[in-house]
């Protein structure tokens, strides 16, 4: 468990957050505006229902409850540097139970989008590559293609880890559950046009510098 | 800080320059007026275009009040009483229901959009309901524009 | 102040600190107001409601000649009385004051300063225009009735009632439960002082009981409230307690009541009897019987047999009592135990779980037990002795029941039977294997003991005539006659060849065999029909050695015969052929050789709702039989009827030959002659006929006693008997699908081959063990089973099972509503596992567990009887949660700390408190919190989200609670043995209904709304109605008692004042304008308007008028004025509001 | 004979979830309902897309809804993630006019248009409501008496929409269904706890931990199989059978799709419902049901 509190986080002068934090806050508030009921965030009473309902909170360095507390404290950057938002398996249990009816899962999606846009990630932590690889797959074939997805993901992140998957791959192969060639949709052109148009509505993409991604390798640090 | 007719007047702070919608609302004393007070106590904001006239029961709402209100310059009229079955006077609100029904047809005959008259039920605990009603009505009247009565 | 005086208006604009002035430019409003006509003074002030503010007004009235006042401030509901009083003090009529609400309806709800100021100015304009037209009014006065109604007898109601009655006033304390004491009576200790709840509550309960002018009304509910402050008229329903005040609380009844149901007082954790007292110190100490209506089995029975009663007694092994109970309402118990078609079983709630209780089999068991153990049962001697003689014609079930009931009533009854055997259809219509003669004889024997005389071989129309009976020939001279002639005439098929030899009607066939006469039976017999008679015929013919086929025109599903009969017939080798209709009896040489038939298919439903059989074209065929027994239906004989009874009336018949009778009294066209059973109903069942016999007996009694033939009390089974309750048998018990299934006892049948050799009964009855087991399947769905055991043992004879609810009317001046709360039902929060895991309990259950009168005698124990090793207490269950209740329940933190202390005190368990925020706000509360911390409670800041059993073999049945320990930011799973859920305080489920009854508003959380949250926390918007306790919002005992005392003080103040001021807002008719159209008459909900025919105008009774103004609005001639709200005043206000706000131009 | 549905298999059902695809088609055919695969469907975007671009995520999914509107039949999506994404898109667009207009213009770029008129449904709900337990029982030919399934619902069919079961915290629909078919479902408290399938590649340790816990609950509860409604859950739990045990106990247990078990009950062969694709063979059998007891009635011999 890493320590949370950077004593220097939060306002630097009375009522003034550092510029970077202000920008993140603005980006976050803009994102949650698009989530129905996003404003309910303010109603959080810090009861920890989200953390306790979360099947993976034990593996997080910041609990879901603390995500909201850190937003309030003006420590979004620190938050984005934690593993928390990437461990979320979007199981929606927190959203279902939250006594303040906060859309926590959707807030975490919003944070993931900001992290990708701003290029702020935990150290040695390439998980977001998974999402990106996935979307590239869709652009390329119109469908997801499990083998390709995993191959690409591991090649971009942790090639040696692939070795560990050989047993699994073999078992699935034997039982007829692996498809070697990607399945493509017929009207790929149409899908690409739709994606291209839709992209213009999402927040301006400051693409993550390639170097930042490829340099980040390894994720052994996860544990209880 | 006192002022009598003898002291000279200051220039009024507020001067009307453009059209502001004027909506009068007849609210029964027991449910709706209390409900509107609750909106106030809860600081739920609603549109200042709406002004409230208190009557004891929505059943007191004489149809001529509505017609005269339009003639006096109101752009819209709201009538609000207790929910059916909850009337402080047992059944005044049912009478209102029937009257407003007829009134809508009547004002339509005068060339007034029936949307300018609205009947709602607001209980003493429904401050948010009252605020929503006032806001919806104000939005509606704004979209309809000023009422121009045919003489 | 005269009305013709020129108005001189003073306008006073309040800043209300910053409340108004922050949004509204108060000075501008003042300045604009000053420009309005007739305004002679316009001022603003920080707080107009303060003394200094009021003095401004008074001074202007006294010194500046102001004679109309407008105050622009908060809502009139808040300070209108204040300013009116100020005016009055300055000698100005208080109704010349008008309030402009610029706070709640302006400053607080708008943020745009310009717009808010404009609006405030408009509102003041309106008030100024209006007040100019105000006229002085004088309020009227009415006497204050000092009697007070207190609704709900928890600690709040008791406390207030004691205080008010102490001052010498009558108080009616109405409580819907059987005891006063409310929720507090369930508690063990109270926080923070740890007083024993009972020790401080019961003395108050006892005083409430003893005080002469405090009238306790338990098991009572207010049905309606009329009138207004000072003079309310209240209707209260006193629910039947079924035990009178004579009860000495000795508890003898507890030893005999066979019913156990979950005990609501112990939160359904333990059980109690149907007759009970909630807890030992309950007040009043009179016992009470819980009934959920009548048991459905009893309702469904035409003779209202207490089936549930004897079933419960059998389950208890009390066979003798069961038999006795059966006999009280059933003159033919042996017969019914074998051949009744048991509508009780169709209605039985157990059928919703698996199969109905075998009620008929149990009745047979009880009666067989009696036959074995009680050779000579004796009926009770009749209470009365009447000289009148009654004739009963026909000894079937209807006639016997009528005779029995009348004999028990003390009449002299003679039964006339045309056959040589008594019993009617029982003797001649039912084969012996179903209804053995010795069984019928045993029932007849008992009936004879009541003094009924029975004559056989005498036939109406042959040996005597109807007129003879009522005449004074020797041996006759009856005062009334019951005709239970039955329906013994079989119907023919109406097909060709039916009169051939070898065609015998089913009913005739059975009669001949039953009477032992020579009746040949063929070798191959066709029985036509699908009712019980057809089955009886077929099975009888089998016993006569024939091969038998039943031909029925529909399918097995539509067959009306009892399923037991069909099964028996199949076992005995009767063949069934469905969807066949006979067309012609084939006759050769005068003898039957076969039957020409046609096949059917099912078509659209007919009037009876059953599918109509439709012949299939070309399917005609012949089947070979040597005997045909049509058994389709029966009708009564009419051959006895020669002429009417002279000068008395006409006996009428329907087209089906049945008697025409009055539906209620069963009297025929001739007074004193009644009819019932098959002769009225057509072929029906035994028990339906008995029901009619019973009703006729009641009618005959009324007739002979000269009473009108109405208001009958004998039971009539509803046409569609209720099948138990909707979801669960007991209001608070498990649902039908939660009840464990248990197979129904099957009566063993003798081997079919042996059965065909004789006419002995087919079924072998239940053994005692089987019977007890079967009877224990009863769900006691009516709670009290009406077995009458308690009634039989009660030393002071206090039990009255037929007690009815009654309505009492009270007149009171004021009402206090203290109806309490409901504890949150945690089954709504599935993850907590309440109801699924044994040791997850609610806070109230935990209170009972710790109480020495509770289910564990005050010990904290898990379900397995062991003390817990670790206990988790979960705060905020259903409160502070948008999904359930938004509000904080306020008392749970402290109650939870109290639990923590008691757990620490009484067990060695580790204790965990899971809280979100610890609310220890009261006197001594924080100190108590610290004390509990000191005692070693583990407090974890975090909401529990889930309780699960420990997985598999790792666990020893303990539970795991999951929460985030938010102070260390870590997810935790803590193993515990017991979880206590601190459920929210919620409004009573019927709060909406109660609110309507007393004209109370409710806040968004559902609790009753006080008049003002700070300044009037006990009043309501309805004058004379007050609130106290948790019905107004969650609160603890000290706050509840304080509020109750406050309410009592308010009530006493009003009583001391002795009169109430009635607002002069009233309607009056200006007679000269009234056109006499009477439109207003029907509009007034208080019937205050009458019509003066002489003067041709409406008149309004000022005492009844409440000033709603509906009539004012409706009067086409504008002849009715509403004081305080005249048309002119309202229109002036409108005009003022709508006038443009601007410069001096105004 | 019955209703027709638009079938949206999603990417997994063409690969790791092949048994789900087979059993879906087999039982719908057997029950007389028609599944018509959506022509040229594209990936639903699952949840991964939502992390990257919001509007694109909605637009990609909306293309499928637009295509489905050509027939207007209800869309049946067996994969929980697809079900969620399609439903989330359908409801999200209906609630949010701004997003709707953006997605509309994106679709227009591809010459498509959506009115959001088709309903998005999960096969479990379709089987329970459109077909109903009674009809499934009536169609039963084989006994499930040997099956003691742990019914596992996972996340996205019960959350956040909760359209499949009354109580998202304690769904019972599969238990009711399989009890009616004669199986003996075990009490399975973690039935709605996430399996971590999403994290198999990114956080294998976490996924492994969650999967093992679910399998251990099933084994400790004496289940002889786990029944799932989602290809991701099935794969993740099935893979527990491959990985070495890290806590010294066996995690071997067959993991089935609910459609496979239904298929066995209504007379599909094990091959037809893809039993061969499971990593651990199912040991329990579904023998044919004995014929009903002889009917109650005896019909008299007919002579003419």
């Amino acid at each position: 468990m890493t320590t949370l509190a950077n004593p220097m986080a939060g306002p630097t002068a009375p009522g003034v957050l550092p510029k970077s934090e202000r920008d993140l806050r603005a980006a976050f508030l803009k994102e949650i505006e698009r989530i129905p009921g996003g404003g309910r965030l303010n109603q959080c009473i810090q009861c920890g229902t989200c953390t306790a309902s979360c099947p993976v909170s034990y593996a997080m360095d910041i609990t879901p409850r603390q995500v909201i507390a850190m937003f309030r404290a003006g420590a979004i950057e620190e938050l984005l540097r934690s593993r928390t938002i990437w461990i979320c398996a979007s199981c929606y249990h927190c959203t279902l139970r939250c006594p303040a009816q906060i859309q926590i899962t959707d807030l975490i999606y919003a944070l993931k989008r900001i992290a990708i846009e701003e290029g702020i990630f935990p150290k040695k932590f390439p998980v977001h590559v998974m999402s990106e690889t996935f979307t590239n797959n869709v652009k390329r074939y119109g469908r997801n293609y499990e083998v390709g997805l995993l191959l690409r993901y591991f090649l971009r992140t942790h090639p040696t880890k692939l070795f560990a998957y050989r047993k699994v791959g073999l078992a699935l192969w034997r039982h007829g559950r692996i498809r070697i060639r990607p399945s493509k949709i017929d009207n790929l052109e149409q899908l690409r046009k739709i994606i291209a148009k839709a992209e213009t509505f999402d927040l301006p993409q400051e693409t993550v510098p390639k170097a930042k991604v490829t340099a980040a390798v390894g994720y052994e640090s996860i544990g209880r | 800080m006192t002022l009598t007719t003898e002291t000279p007047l200051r220039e009024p702070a507020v001067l009307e320059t453009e059209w502001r919608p004027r909506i009068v609302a007849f609210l029964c004393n027991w449910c709706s007026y209390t409900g509107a007070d609750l909106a106030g106590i809860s600081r739920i904001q609603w549109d200042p275009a709406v002004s409230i006239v208190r009557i004891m029961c929505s059943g007191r709402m004489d149809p001529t009040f509505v017609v005269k209100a339009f003639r006096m310059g109101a752009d819209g009229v709201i009538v609000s009483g207790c929910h059916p079955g909850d009337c402080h006077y047992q059944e005044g609100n049912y009478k209102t229901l029937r009257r407003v029904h007829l009134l809508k047809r009547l004002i339509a005959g005068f060339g007034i959009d029936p949307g300018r008259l609205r009947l709602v039920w607001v209980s003493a605990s429904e401050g948010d309901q009252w605020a929503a009603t006032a806001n919806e009505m104000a939005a509606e009247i704004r979209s309809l524009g000023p009422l121009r009565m045919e003489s | 102040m005269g009305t013709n005086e020129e108005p001189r208006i003073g306008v006073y604009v309040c800043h209300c600190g910053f409340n108004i002035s922050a949004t509204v430019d108060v000075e501008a409003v003042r300045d604009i107001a000053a420009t309005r006509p007739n305004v002679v003074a316009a001022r603003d002030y920080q707080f107009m409601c303060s003394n200094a503010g009021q003095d401004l007004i008074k001074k202007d009235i006294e010194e500046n000649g102001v004679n109309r006042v407008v105050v622009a401030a908060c809502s009139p509901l808040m300070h209108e009385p204040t300013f009116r009083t100020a005016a009055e003090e300055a000698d100005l009529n208080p109704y010349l004051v008008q309030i402009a609400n610029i706070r709640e309806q302006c400053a607080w709800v708008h943020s745009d300063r310009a717009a808010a100021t404009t609006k405030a100015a408009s509102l003041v304009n309106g008030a100024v225009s209006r007040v100019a037209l105000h006229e002085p009014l004088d309020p009227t006065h009415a006497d204050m009735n000092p009697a007070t109604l207190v609704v709900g007898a928890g600690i709040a109601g008791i406390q207030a009632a004691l205080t008010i009655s102490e001052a010498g006033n009558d108080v009616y304390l109405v409580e819907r439960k059987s005891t006063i004491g409310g929720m507090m009576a369930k508690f063990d200790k109270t926080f923070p002082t740890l007083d024993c709840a009972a020790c401080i509550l019961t003395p108050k309960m006892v005083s409430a009981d003893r005080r002469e002018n405090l009238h306790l009304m338990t098991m009572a509910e207010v049905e309606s409230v009329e009138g207004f402050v000072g003079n309310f008229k209240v209707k209260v329903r006193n629910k039947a307690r079924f035990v009178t005040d004579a009860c000495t609380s000795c508890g003898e009844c507890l030893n005999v009541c066979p019913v156990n149901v979950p005990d609501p007082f112990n939160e359904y954790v333990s059980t109690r009897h149907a007759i009970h007292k909630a807890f030992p110190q309950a007040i009043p100490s009179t016992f009470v019987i819980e009934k959920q209506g009548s048991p459905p089995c009893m309702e469904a029975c035409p003779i209202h047999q207490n089936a549930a009663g004897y079933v419960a007694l059998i389950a208890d092994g009390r066979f003798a009592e069961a038999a006795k109970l059966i006999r009280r309402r059933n003159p033919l118990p042996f017969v019914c135990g074998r051949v009744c078609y048991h509508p009780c079983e169709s209605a039985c709630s157990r059928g919703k779980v698996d199969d109905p209780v075998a009620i008929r089999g149990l009745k047979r068991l009880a009666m067989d037990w009696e036959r074995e153990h009680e050779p000579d049962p004796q009926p009770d001697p009749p209470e009365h002795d009447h000289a009148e003689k009654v004739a009963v014609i026909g000894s079937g079930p209807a006639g016997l029941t009528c005779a029995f009931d009348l004999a028990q009533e003390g009449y002299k009854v003679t039964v006339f039977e045309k056959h040589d055997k008594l019993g009617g259809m029982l003797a001649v219509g039912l084969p012996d294997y179903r209804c053995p003669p010795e069984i019928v004889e045993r029932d007849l024997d008992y009936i004879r003991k009541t003094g009924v005389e029975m004559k056989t071989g005498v036939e109406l129309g042959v040996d005597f005539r109807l007129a003879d009976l009522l005449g004074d020939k020797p041996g006759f001279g009856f005062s009334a006659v019951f005709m239970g002639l039955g329906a013994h005439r079989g119907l023919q098929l109406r097909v060709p060849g039916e009169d051939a030899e070898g065609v015998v009607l089913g009913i005739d066939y059975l009669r001949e065999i039953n009477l032992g006469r020579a009746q040949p039976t063929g070798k191959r017999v066709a029985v036509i029909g699908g009712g019980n008679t057809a089955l009886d015929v077929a099975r009888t013919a089998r016993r006569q050695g024939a091969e038998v086929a039943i031909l029925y025109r529909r399918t097995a599903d539509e067959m009306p015969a009892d399923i037991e009969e069909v099964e028996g017939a199949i076992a005995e080798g009767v063949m069934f052929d469905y969807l066949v209709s006979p067309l012609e009896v084939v006759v050769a040489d005068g003898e039957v050789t076969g039957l020409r038939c046609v096949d059917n298919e099912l078509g659209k439903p007919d009037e009876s709702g059953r599918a109509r059989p439709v012949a299939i074209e070309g399917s005609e065929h012949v089947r070979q039989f040597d005997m045909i027994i049509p058994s389709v239906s029966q009708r009564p004989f009419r051959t006895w009827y020669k002429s009417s009874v002279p000068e008395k009336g006409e006996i009428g018949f329907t087209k089906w030959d049945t008697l025409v009778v009055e539906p209620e009294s069963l009297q025929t066209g001739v007074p004193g002659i009644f009819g019932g059973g098959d002769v009225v109903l057509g072929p029906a069942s035994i028990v339906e006929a008995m029901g009619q016999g019973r009703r006729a007996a009641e009618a005959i009694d009324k007739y002979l006693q000269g009473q009108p033939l109405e208001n009958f009390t004998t039971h009539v089974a509803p046409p569609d008997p209720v099948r138990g309750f909707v979801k669960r048998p007991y209001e608070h018990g498990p649902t039908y699908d939660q009840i464990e299934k248990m197979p129904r006892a099957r009566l063993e049948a003798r081997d079919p081959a042996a059965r065909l050799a004789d006419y002995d009964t087919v079924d072998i009855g239940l053994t005692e063990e089987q019977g007890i087991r079967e009877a224990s399947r009863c769900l006691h769905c009516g709670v009290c089973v009406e077995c009458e055991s308690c009634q039989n043992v009660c030393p002071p004879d206090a039990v009255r099972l037929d007690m009815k609810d009654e309505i009492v009317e009270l007149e009171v001046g004021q009402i206090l509503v203290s109806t309490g709360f409901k504890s949150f039902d945690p089954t709504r929060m599935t993850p907590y596992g309440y109801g699924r895991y044994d040791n997850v309990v609610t806070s109230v259950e935990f209170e009972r567990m710790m109480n020495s009168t509770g289910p564990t005698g005050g010990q904290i124990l898990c379900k397995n009887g062991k003390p817990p090793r670790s206990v988790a207490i979960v705060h905020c269950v259903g409160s502070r949660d948008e999904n359930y209740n938004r509000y904080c329940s306020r008392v749970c933190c402290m109650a939870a700390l109290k639990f923590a202390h008691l757990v620490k005190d009484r067990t060695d368990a580790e204790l965990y408190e899971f809280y979100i925020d610890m609310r220890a706000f009261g006197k001594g509360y924080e100190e108590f919190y610290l004390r509990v911390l000191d005692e070693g409670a583990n407090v974890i800041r975090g909401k529990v989200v889930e309780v699960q059993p420990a997985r598999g073999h790792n666990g020893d049945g303990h539970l795991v609670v999951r929460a985030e320990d938010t102070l260390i930011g870590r997810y935790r799973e803590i193993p515990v043995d017991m979880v206590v859920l601190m459920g929210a305080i919620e409004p009573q489920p019927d709060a909406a209904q109660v609110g309507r009854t007393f004209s109370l508003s409710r806040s968004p959380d559902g609790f009753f709304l006080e008049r003002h949250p700070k300044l009037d926390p006990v009043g309501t918007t309805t004058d004379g109605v007050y609130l106290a306790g948790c019905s107004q919002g969650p609160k603890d005992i000290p706050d509840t008692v304080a509020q109750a005392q406050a309410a009592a003080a308010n009530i006493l103040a009003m009583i001391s004042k002795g009169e109430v001021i009635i607002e002069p807002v009233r309607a009056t008719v200006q007679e000269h304008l009234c056109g006499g159209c009477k439109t207003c008459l029907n509009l007034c909900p208080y019937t205050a308007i009458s019509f003066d025919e002489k003067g041709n105008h409406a008149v309004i009774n000022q005492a009844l008028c409440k000033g709603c103004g509906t009539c004012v609005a409706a009067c086409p001639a504008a002849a009715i004025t509403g004081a305080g709200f005249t048309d002119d005043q309202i229109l002036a206000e409108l005009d003022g509001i709508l006038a443009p706000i601007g410069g001096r131009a105004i | 004979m019955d209703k027709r549905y638009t079938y949206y298999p999603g990417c997994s059902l063409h690969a790791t979830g092949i048994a789900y695809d087979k059993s879906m088609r087999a039982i719908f055919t057997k029950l007389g309902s028609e599944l018509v695969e959506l022509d040229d469907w594209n990936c639903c975007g699952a949840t991964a897309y939502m992390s990257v671009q919001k509007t694109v995520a909605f637009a990609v999914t909306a293309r499928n809804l637009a295509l489905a509107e050509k027939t207007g039949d209800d869309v049946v999506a067996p994969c929980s993630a697809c079900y969620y994404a399609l439903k989330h898109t359908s409801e999200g667009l209906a609630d949010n006019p701004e997003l709707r207009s953006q997605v509309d213009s994106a679709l227009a770029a591809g010459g498509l248009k959506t009115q959001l008129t088709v309903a998005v449904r999960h096969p479990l709900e379709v089987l329970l409501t459109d077909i109903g337990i009674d009809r499934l029982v009536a169609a039963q030919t084989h006994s499930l008496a040997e099956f003691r399934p742990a019914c596992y619902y996972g996340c996205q069919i019960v959350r956040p929409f909760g359209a499949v079961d009354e109580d998202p915290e304690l769904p019972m629909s599969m238990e009711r269904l399989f009890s009616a078919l004669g199986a003996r479902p075990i009490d399975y408290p973690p039935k709605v706890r996430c399996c971590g399938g999403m994290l198999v590649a990114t956080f294998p340790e976490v996924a492994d931990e969650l999967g093992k816990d679910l399998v251990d609950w099933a084994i400790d509860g004496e289940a002889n199989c786990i029944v799932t409604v989602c290809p991701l859950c099935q794969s993740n739990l099935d893979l527990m059978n491959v990985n070495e045990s890290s806590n010294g106990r066996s995690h071997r247990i067959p993991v089935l799709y609910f459609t496979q078990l239904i298929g066995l009950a209504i007379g599909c062969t094990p091959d037809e419902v893809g039993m061969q694709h499971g990593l651990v063979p199912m040991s329990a059998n579904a023998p044919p049901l004995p014929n009903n007891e002889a009917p109650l009635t005896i019909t008299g011999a007919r002579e003419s």
Side-chain angles (χ1 to χ4, degrees), chain D residues 3-23:
Chain D
K3 226 173 143 173
R4 195 179 57 184
Y5 301 92
T6 296
Y7 178 46
Y8 180 88
C11 307
S12 297
L13 268 72
H14 279 190
T16 48
I18 182 113
Y20 204 175
D21 185 54
K22 284 185 181 175
S23 52

Side-chain angles (χ1 to χ4, degrees), chain C residues 495-549:
Chain C
V495 297
E498 211 174 345
D499 35 14
E501 184 121 345
V503 181
V504 178
L505 293 174
I507 192 71
D508 296 341
Y509 178 79
L510 289 172
R511 181 173 59 244
E512 296 308 299
I513 300 257
N514 271 325
L515 292 175
R517 299 182 187 157
Q519 170 62 54
T521 301
K523 290 204 162 51
R524 290 179 56 80
V525 175
V527 178
I528 321 292
N532 276 341
T533 305
L535 271 293
D536 290 346
V537 169
R539 296 176 71 181
T540 303
R542 281 293 290 149
R543 283 165 173 73
Q544 298 290 26
E547 273 183 47
V548 182

Side-chain angles (χ1 to χ4, degrees), chain A residues 29-102:
Chain A
L29 291 175
K30 193 158 166 45
E31 278 287 346
I32 64 171
E33 240 174 51
R34 303 177 65 186
I35 302 171
R40 296 202 57 87
L41 173 70
N42 297 334
Q43 302 260 316
C44 176
I45 54 171
Q46 293 284 304
C47 66
T49 294
C50 40
T51 308
S53 300
C54 179
V56 293
S57 62
Y58 72 88
M60 292 174 171
D61 40 7
I62 289 175
T63 70
R65 172 189 60 83
Q66 287 169 331
V67 168
I68 294 176
M70 290 187 73
F71 155 71
R72 288 176 174 173
I76 297 181
E77 185 172 345
E78 198 179 325
L79 173 62
L80 296 181
R81 292 205 186 283
S82 80
R83 289 191 304 264
T84 293
I85 57 175
W86 300 104
I87 300 184
C88 168
S90 37
C91 80
Y92 285 91
H93 226 144
C94 49
T95 304
L96 176 70
R97 286 182 180 166
C98 175
Q101 291 176 345
I102 299 169

Side-chain angles (χ1 to χ4, degrees), chain C residues 123-193:
Chain C
L123 292 173
V124 172
N125 276 0
V128 167
S129 305
R130 189 189 208 278
V131 83
L133 301 179
H134 276 204
E135 293 188 34
L137 298 172
D138 288 316
T140 48
H141 299 258
D143 284 343
M144 166 62 73
N145 183 339
T148 302
L149 172 70
V150 177
V151 188
I155 181 59
I158 294 175
Q159 184 60 53
L162 285 173
T163 308
I164 299 165
S165 59
E166 176 89 61
N169 306 294
D170 278 322
V171 176
Y172 299 93
L173 181 53
V174 171
E175 166 60 50
R176 82 169 136 202
K177 299 234 166 66
S178 64
T179 173
I180 62 171
M183 215 50 163
M184 189 177 168
K186 296 188 175 191
F187 296 168
D188 183 45
K189 294 278 188 292
T190 55
F191 61 79
T193 49

Side-chain angles (χ1 to χ4, degrees), chain A residues 49 52-55 93 97, chain C residues 829-833 836-837 840 874 914 943-949 959-963 971-974 979 981, chain D residues 159 169 189-193:
Chain A
T49 294
S53 300
C54 179
H93 226 144
R97 286 182 180 166
Chain C
M829 295 181 82
T830 330
Y832 287 154
R836 294 201 309 274
Y837 308 132
V840 179
V874 181
F914 291 90
K943 186 176 165 94
V944 169
V945 299
E946 200 165 19
V947 178
Q948 277 196 351
L959 299 164
V960 171
V961 294
R962 299 188 160 137
Y971 169 67
R972 290 182 75 180
E973 291 185 352
I974 296 187
V979 177
L981 303 175
Chain D
R159 292 186 299 269
E169 291 279 10
K191 61 173 90 170
V192 293
R193 216 158 154 79

Side-chain angles (χ1 to χ4, degrees), chain C residues 437-449:
Chain C
E438 67 272 19
I439 283 305
V440 181
E441 187 47 42
R442 193 164 165 91
D443 282 340
L444 287 170
D445 187 44
Y446 189 80
I447 295 168
R448 281 196 199 94
K449 286 180 200 162

Side-chain angles (χ1 to χ4, degrees), chain A residues 34 58 90-92 97 109 113 125 142-144 146 165 167 175 177 185-187 190 201-202 222, chain D residues 11 16 40-41 43 47 50-51 55 63 84 105 110 155-156 159 169 200 203 234 238 244 277-278:
Chain A
R34 303 177 65 186
Y58 72 88
S90 37
C91 80
Y92 285 91
R97 286 182 180 166
Y109 276 129
R113 291 195 290 271
F125 211 69
R143 290 186 187 164
N144 177 24
E146 288 157 339
Y165 279 83
K167 213 174 146 187
H175 287 84
R177 289 167 62 173
I185 67 168
D186 297 335
N187 203 343
Q190 181 189 50
F201 297 110
D202 283 312
I222 308 147
Chain D
C11 307
T16 48
D40 205 36
W41 56 268
C43 171
T47 43
M50 202 54 80
S51 314
T55 314
R63 177 175 177 270
Y84 168 73
S105 75
C155 313
Q156 289 171 353
R159 292 186 299 269
E169 291 279 10
V200 167
F203 293 91
Q234 197 277 345
D238 213 1
E244 298 291 324
H277 298 294

